[in-house]
Amino acid sequence: MRMMIGIAHPKQVHFWKNIIKNLIDNGHEVKIVAWVKDLTLYLLDVYGFKYEVVGKNYSGLLKKAYGMVESDLKSLKIAKEFKPDILLAGSPALAHVSKLLRKPYIYLIDTEHASLAYRLTCPFSDVICTPSCFKKRINSKKWIMFDGYQELAYLHPNYFKPDAGVLDDLGLDKDDKFIIVRFVSWGASHDIGDKGFTNKEKVIKSLEKYGHILITSERKLSPKLEKYKITIAPEKIHSVLYFASLYMGESAPMAAESAILGTPAIFVSTSKRGYTDELESKYGLVYNFSEPKTMEKCALEKAFELLESENTKKEWRKKRREMLKEKIDVTAFMTNFIENYPESFYEYIQMRRC
């Protein structure tokens, strides 16, 4: 089969990298189209993928509307030349193109409040694929669920092995405590109206007495915080998260990544996600704080509690093992579903009816 995959965010690079490898190894031809967004192109280059750029991440609704038209047209031109049998993921562009070409489109989503992307994509999708913890009810016969998290597609032990060499890169040893803090830009369409930390410098100062602070940020840091900025190669960040004592930040995906790796995670944001909620309620791997007036204070109190305990990391590794026993290999599931579509979809519908 000929498959066209859209990659519009760094997380999507990680999600698709093992699936794409499987598909190519199994004899399929894959065309990647990509959007300029943070480290997306950098990661595609690092992992050796060939791709064509069809758009960029604009800020502001008017510019985003222009960007959608731009990427629709570029994606359509590439698709007409490539002649895909199936289109997957990315942004609304490939969903629109799929209808013009009368080819199936599989949409993956795990962010409930991504309302704009949902409205622009779902009507044109043939399959809407979400984790089973997705809280938004989708009134559609096109909806399928998998019992896992998108982050497991690249952090499941079948695919990810932590590299202890990152500690040398950071000038740390295995006994050092260090804390990862993440700030986001709030520039995505689903971030409009949301917020996280209100006093970043206070947060860092409060945490610093417990260990080394490493900041990863989508936006420019103040001079006082710049010295904490992590300098490691971006593709090594998951090994850093694995060895960290704690993650605390405004990014839900990174909170989930930390939790799945067995590192205590604190998510601070006025928005919520089904997957971080489940990682807290079912497995105790994440703590979510979303009440605007108290979330920063409560998050810090929880961080102090976790950092003061000598058994925290051991407890999280045990929780991680329990979670992995219950969740599927998402890469294997998606590879099989795509290769065997549409039969795989009909099988899923039959199973759901039973």
mmCIF file of all heavy atoms in Angstrom, residues 223-251:
data_model
loop_
_atom_site.group_PDB
_atom_site.id
_atom_site.type_symbol
_atom_site.label_atom_id
_atom_site.label_comp_id
_atom_site.label_asym_id
_atom_site.label_seq_id
_atom_site.Cartn_x
_atom_site.Cartn_y
_atom_site.Cartn_z
ATOM 1 N N PRO A 223 16.290 36.261 32.011
ATOM 2 C CA PRO A 223 17.726 36.121 32.317
ATOM 3 C C PRO A 223 17.978 35.292 33.580
ATOM 4 O O PRO A 223 18.953 34.532 33.648
ATOM 5 C CB PRO A 223 18.188 37.565 32.499
ATOM 6 C CG PRO A 223 17.245 38.363 31.651
ATOM 7 C CD PRO A 223 15.926 37.676 31.777
ATOM 8 N N LYS A 224 17.115 35.413 34.577
ATOM 9 C CA LYS A 224 17.308 34.666 35.826
ATOM 10 C C LYS A 224 17.098 33.165 35.647
ATOM 11 O O LYS A 224 17.650 32.358 36.394
ATOM 12 C CB LYS A 224 16.350 35.192 36.901
ATOM 13 C CG LYS A 224 16.720 36.564 37.437
ATOM 14 C CD LYS A 224 15.783 36.970 38.565
ATOM 15 C CE LYS A 224 16.184 38.335 39.121
ATOM 16 N NZ LYS A 224 15.274 38.767 40.225
ATOM 17 N N LEU A 225 16.287 32.779 34.654
ATOM 18 C CA LEU A 225 15.995 31.365 34.446
ATOM 19 C C LEU A 225 16.832 30.737 33.337
ATOM 20 O O LEU A 225 16.914 29.505 33.246
ATOM 21 C CB LEU A 225 14.508 31.179 34.121
ATOM 22 C CG LEU A 225 13.513 31.568 35.220
ATOM 23 C CD1 LEU A 225 12.091 31.284 34.763
ATOM 24 C CD2 LEU A 225 13.815 30.822 36.518
ATOM 25 N N GLU A 226 17.449 31.554 32.518
ATOM 26 C CA GLU A 226 18.186 31.058 31.363
ATOM 27 C C GLU A 226 19.285 30.070 31.770
ATOM 28 O O GLU A 226 19.564 29.100 31.056
ATOM 29 C CB GLU A 226 18.802 32.236 30.595
ATOM 30 C CG GLU A 226 19.491 31.862 29.299
ATOM 31 C CD GLU A 226 18.545 31.317 28.241
ATOM 32 O OE1 GLU A 226 17.369 31.726 28.214
ATOM 33 O OE2 GLU A 226 18.998 30.477 27.431
ATOM 34 N N LYS A 227 19.901 30.268 32.920
ATOM 35 C CA LYS A 227 21.007 29.399 33.345
ATOM 36 C C LYS A 227 20.550 27.968 33.639
ATOM 37 O O LYS A 227 21.365 27.041 33.703
ATOM 38 C CB LYS A 227 21.704 29.984 34.576
ATOM 39 C CG LYS A 227 20.847 30.021 35.833
ATOM 40 C CD LYS A 227 21.629 30.581 37.015
ATOM 41 C CE LYS A 227 20.792 30.591 38.296
ATOM 42 N NZ LYS A 227 21.559 31.103 39.456
ATOM 43 N N TYR A 228 19.246 27.778 33.827
ATOM 44 C CA TYR A 228 18.713 26.443 34.123
ATOM 45 C C TYR A 228 18.316 25.681 32.864
ATOM 46 O O TYR A 228 17.945 24.506 32.935
ATOM 47 C CB TYR A 228 17.482 26.541 35.025
ATOM 48 C CG TYR A 228 17.730 27.202 36.359
ATOM 49 C CD1 TYR A 228 17.375 28.533 36.569
ATOM 50 C CD2 TYR A 228 18.301 26.496 37.414
ATOM 51 C CE1 TYR A 228 17.584 29.149 37.798
ATOM 52 C CE2 TYR A 228 18.520 27.105 38.649
ATOM 53 C CZ TYR A 228 18.159 28.431 38.831
ATOM 54 O OH TYR A 228 18.373 29.036 40.045
ATOM 55 N N LYS A 229 18.374 26.339 31.722
ATOM 56 C CA LYS A 229 17.895 25.735 30.478
ATOM 57 C C LYS A 229 18.700 24.499 30.120
ATOM 58 O O LYS A 229 19.931 24.517 30.114
ATOM 59 C CB LYS A 229 17.958 26.754 29.338
ATOM 60 C CG LYS A 229 17.317 26.269 28.042
ATOM 61 C CD LYS A 229 17.326 27.386 27.004
ATOM 62 C CE LYS A 229 16.664 26.939 25.711
ATOM 63 N NZ LYS A 229 16.673 28.020 24.686
ATOM 64 N N ILE A 230 18.000 23.417 29.806
ATOM 65 C CA ILE A 230 18.660 22.165 29.458
ATOM 66 C C ILE A 230 19.348 22.309 28.103
ATOM 67 O O ILE A 230 18.813 22.931 27.183
ATOM 68 C CB ILE A 230 17.637 21.002 29.453
ATOM 69 C CG1 ILE A 230 18.346 19.660 29.407
ATOM 70 C CG2 ILE A 230 16.629 21.153 28.322
ATOM 71 C CD1 ILE A 230 17.416 18.486 29.693
ATOM 72 N N THR A 231 20.537 21.755 27.981
ATOM 73 C CA THR A 231 21.324 21.929 26.760
ATOM 74 C C THR A 231 21.523 20.629 25.994
ATOM 75 O O THR A 231 22.211 20.595 24.995
ATOM 76 C CB THR A 231 22.703 22.515 27.103
ATOM 77 O OG1 THR A 231 23.348 21.665 28.071
ATOM 78 C CG2 THR A 231 22.577 23.921 27.671
ATOM 79 N N ILE A 232 20.900 19.572 26.440
ATOM 80 C CA ILE A 232 21.089 18.269 25.806
ATOM 81 C C ILE A 232 20.374 18.200 24.463
ATOM 82 O O ILE A 232 19.401 18.935 24.217
ATOM 83 C CB ILE A 232 20.583 17.158 26.753
ATOM 84 C CG1 ILE A 232 21.209 15.810 26.386
ATOM 85 C CG2 ILE A 232 19.066 17.066 26.726
ATOM 86 C CD1 ILE A 232 21.105 14.788 27.480
ATOM 87 N N ALA A 233 20.830 17.323 23.576
ATOM 88 C CA ALA A 233 20.168 17.133 22.278
ATOM 89 C C ALA A 233 18.710 16.727 22.499
ATOM 90 O O ALA A 233 18.431 15.848 23.316
ATOM 91 C CB ALA A 233 20.900 16.061 21.473
ATOM 92 N N PRO A 234 17.763 17.354 21.804
ATOM 93 C CA PRO A 234 16.336 17.110 22.040
ATOM 94 C C PRO A 234 15.914 15.651 21.940
ATOM 95 O O PRO A 234 15.017 15.216 22.665
ATOM 96 C CB PRO A 234 15.657 17.954 20.958
ATOM 97 C CG PRO A 234 16.623 19.049 20.676
ATOM 98 C CD PRO A 234 17.977 18.424 20.808
ATOM 99 N N GLU A 235 16.548 14.879 21.058
ATOM 100 C CA GLU A 235 16.149 13.478 20.901
ATOM 101 C C GLU A 235 16.516 12.618 22.115
ATOM 102 O O GLU A 235 16.073 11.471 22.236
ATOM 103 C CB GLU A 235 16.759 12.872 19.630
ATOM 104 C CG GLU A 235 18.264 12.750 19.644
ATOM 105 C CD GLU A 235 18.992 14.002 19.143
ATOM 106 O OE1 GLU A 235 18.378 15.086 19.145
ATOM 107 O OE2 GLU A 235 20.165 13.861 18.759
ATOM 108 N N LYS A 236 17.294 13.184 23.045
ATOM 109 C CA LYS A 236 17.691 12.442 24.252
ATOM 110 C C LYS A 236 16.812 12.759 25.458
ATOM 111 O O LYS A 236 17.050 12.252 26.550
ATOM 112 C CB LYS A 236 19.150 12.753 24.591
ATOM 113 C CG LYS A 236 20.147 12.310 23.533
ATOM 114 C CD LYS A 236 21.581 12.616 23.972
ATOM 115 C CE LYS A 236 22.595 12.157 22.934
ATOM 116 N NZ LYS A 236 23.994 12.406 23.386
ATOM 117 N N ILE A 237 15.793 13.593 25.269
ATOM 118 C CA ILE A 237 15.009 14.080 26.405
ATOM 119 C C ILE A 237 14.294 12.957 27.155
ATOM 120 O O ILE A 237 14.116 13.029 28.377
ATOM 121 C CB ILE A 237 13.986 15.157 25.948
ATOM 122 C CG1 ILE A 237 13.345 15.854 27.156
ATOM 123 C CG2 ILE A 237 12.934 14.555 25.035
ATOM 124 C CD1 ILE A 237 14.310 16.602 28.044
ATOM 125 N N HIS A 238 13.915 11.893 26.470
ATOM 126 C CA HIS A 238 13.183 10.829 27.159
ATOM 127 C C HIS A 238 14.087 10.037 28.098
ATOM 128 O O HIS A 238 13.642 9.574 29.150
ATOM 129 C CB HIS A 238 12.482 9.920 26.150
ATOM 130 C CG HIS A 238 11.456 10.641 25.345
ATOM 131 N ND1 HIS A 238 11.500 10.722 23.974
ATOM 132 C CD2 HIS A 238 10.377 11.370 25.739
ATOM 133 C CE1 HIS A 238 10.475 11.446 23.548
ATOM 134 N NE2 HIS A 238 9.787 11.855 24.592
ATOM 135 N N SER A 239 15.350 9.919 27.750
ATOM 136 C CA SER A 239 16.302 9.308 28.690
ATOM 137 C C SER A 239 16.483 10.209 29.905
ATOM 138 O O SER A 239 16.596 9.730 31.038
ATOM 139 C CB SER A 239 17.647 9.055 28.003
ATOM 140 O OG SER A 239 17.554 7.985 27.081
ATOM 141 N N VAL A 240 16.499 11.513 29.682
ATOM 142 C CA VAL A 240 16.607 12.459 30.802
ATOM 143 C C VAL A 240 15.394 12.303 31.722
ATOM 144 O O VAL A 240 15.535 12.248 32.951
ATOM 145 C CB VAL A 240 16.725 13.911 30.290
ATOM 146 C CG1 VAL A 240 16.774 14.891 31.461
ATOM 147 C CG2 VAL A 240 17.967 14.073 29.417
ATOM 148 N N LEU A 241 14.207 12.230 31.132
ATOM 149 C CA LEU A 241 12.991 12.054 31.935
ATOM 150 C C LEU A 241 13.025 10.754 32.727
ATOM 151 O O LEU A 241 12.555 10.699 33.867
ATOM 152 C CB LEU A 241 11.755 12.081 31.033
ATOM 153 C CG LEU A 241 11.380 13.427 30.407
ATOM 154 C CD1 LEU A 241 10.238 13.243 29.414
ATOM 155 C CD2 LEU A 241 11.009 14.449 31.458
ATOM 156 N N TYR A 242 13.566 9.710 32.128
ATOM 157 C CA TYR A 242 13.626 8.410 32.810
ATOM 158 C C TYR A 242 14.445 8.496 34.101
ATOM 159 O O TYR A 242 14.067 7.922 35.127
ATOM 160 C CB TYR A 242 14.232 7.366 31.871
ATOM 161 C CG TYR A 242 14.349 5.989 32.490
ATOM 162 C CD1 TYR A 242 13.290 5.083 32.413
ATOM 163 C CD2 TYR A 242 15.519 5.592 33.144
ATOM 164 C CE1 TYR A 242 13.392 3.816 32.986
ATOM 165 C CE2 TYR A 242 15.623 4.330 33.716
ATOM 166 C CZ TYR A 242 14.560 3.455 33.632
ATOM 167 O OH TYR A 242 14.664 2.208 34.214
ATOM 168 N N PHE A 243 15.559 9.203 34.059
ATOM 169 C CA PHE A 243 16.459 9.265 35.214
ATOM 170 C C PHE A 243 16.127 10.413 36.178
ATOM 171 O O PHE A 243 16.702 10.489 37.262
ATOM 172 C CB PHE A 243 17.910 9.399 34.740
ATOM 173 C CG PHE A 243 18.430 8.167 34.058
ATOM 174 C CD1 PHE A 243 18.612 8.134 32.682
ATOM 175 C CD2 PHE A 243 18.709 7.018 34.788
ATOM 176 C CE1 PHE A 243 19.082 6.995 32.046
ATOM 177 C CE2 PHE A 243 19.182 5.865 34.167
ATOM 178 C CZ PHE A 243 19.364 5.850 32.789
ATOM 179 N N ALA A 244 15.201 11.295 35.794
ATOM 180 C CA ALA A 244 14.865 12.445 36.642
ATOM 181 C C ALA A 244 14.205 12.014 37.943
ATOM 182 O O ALA A 244 13.568 10.961 38.024
ATOM 183 C CB ALA A 244 13.947 13.400 35.880
ATOM 184 N N SER A 245 14.338 12.851 38.961
ATOM 185 C CA SER A 245 13.672 12.603 40.246
ATOM 186 C C SER A 245 12.211 13.026 40.186
ATOM 187 O O SER A 245 11.355 12.473 40.887
ATOM 188 C CB SER A 245 14.376 13.376 41.357
ATOM 189 O OG SER A 245 15.740 13.048 41.422
ATOM 190 N N LEU A 246 11.918 14.030 39.333
ATOM 191 C CA LEU A 246 10.566 14.577 39.253
ATOM 192 C C LEU A 246 10.403 15.366 37.971
ATOM 193 O O LEU A 246 11.347 16.020 37.514
ATOM 194 C CB LEU A 246 10.299 15.504 40.451
ATOM 195 C CG LEU A 246 8.948 16.234 40.487
ATOM 196 C CD1 LEU A 246 7.831 15.268 40.863
ATOM 197 C CD2 LEU A 246 8.981 17.401 41.486
ATOM 198 N N TYR A 247 9.209 15.296 37.385
ATOM 199 C CA TYR A 247 8.811 16.210 36.312
ATOM 200 C C TYR A 247 7.707 17.102 36.851
ATOM 201 O O TYR A 247 6.759 16.635 37.505
ATOM 202 C CB TYR A 247 8.276 15.458 35.089
ATOM 203 C CG TYR A 247 7.513 16.367 34.144
ATOM 204 C CD1 TYR A 247 8.185 17.125 33.194
ATOM 205 C CD2 TYR A 247 6.129 16.514 34.242
ATOM 206 C CE1 TYR A 247 7.495 17.995 32.354
ATOM 207 C CE2 TYR A 247 5.426 17.377 33.409
ATOM 208 C CZ TYR A 247 6.120 18.112 32.463
ATOM 209 O OH TYR A 247 5.431 18.974 31.651
ATOM 210 N N MET A 248 7.809 18.396 36.557
ATOM 211 C CA MET A 248 6.748 19.338 36.926
ATOM 212 C C MET A 248 6.628 20.346 35.792
ATOM 213 O O MET A 248 7.596 21.026 35.445
ATOM 214 C CB MET A 248 7.097 20.048 38.234
ATOM 215 C CG MET A 248 6.037 21.010 38.732
ATOM 216 S SD MET A 248 6.414 21.499 40.445
ATOM 217 C CE MET A 248 5.238 22.833 40.667
ATOM 218 N N GLY A 249 5.435 20.440 35.195
ATOM 219 C CA GLY A 249 5.346 21.342 34.064
ATOM 220 C C GLY A 249 3.954 21.540 33.516
ATOM 221 O O GLY A 249 2.974 20.968 33.996
ATOM 222 N N GLU A 250 3.897 22.372 32.456
ATOM 223 C CA GLU A 250 2.644 22.771 31.829
ATOM 224 C C GLU A 250 2.285 21.893 30.626
ATOM 225 O O GLU A 250 1.259 22.107 29.999
ATOM 226 C CB GLU A 250 2.765 24.223 31.361
ATOM 227 C CG GLU A 250 3.045 25.209 32.491
ATOM 228 C CD GLU A 250 3.492 26.577 31.998
ATOM 229 O OE1 GLU A 250 4.100 26.661 30.896
ATOM 230 O OE2 GLU A 250 3.242 27.566 32.707
ATOM 231 N N SER A 251 3.139 20.941 30.291
ATOM 232 C CA SER A 251 2.916 20.085 29.132
ATOM 233 C C SER A 251 2.309 18.756 29.555
ATOM 234 O O SER A 251 2.936 17.979 30.293
ATOM 235 C CB SER A 251 4.243 19.830 28.404
ATOM 236 O OG SER A 251 4.114 18.774 27.477
#
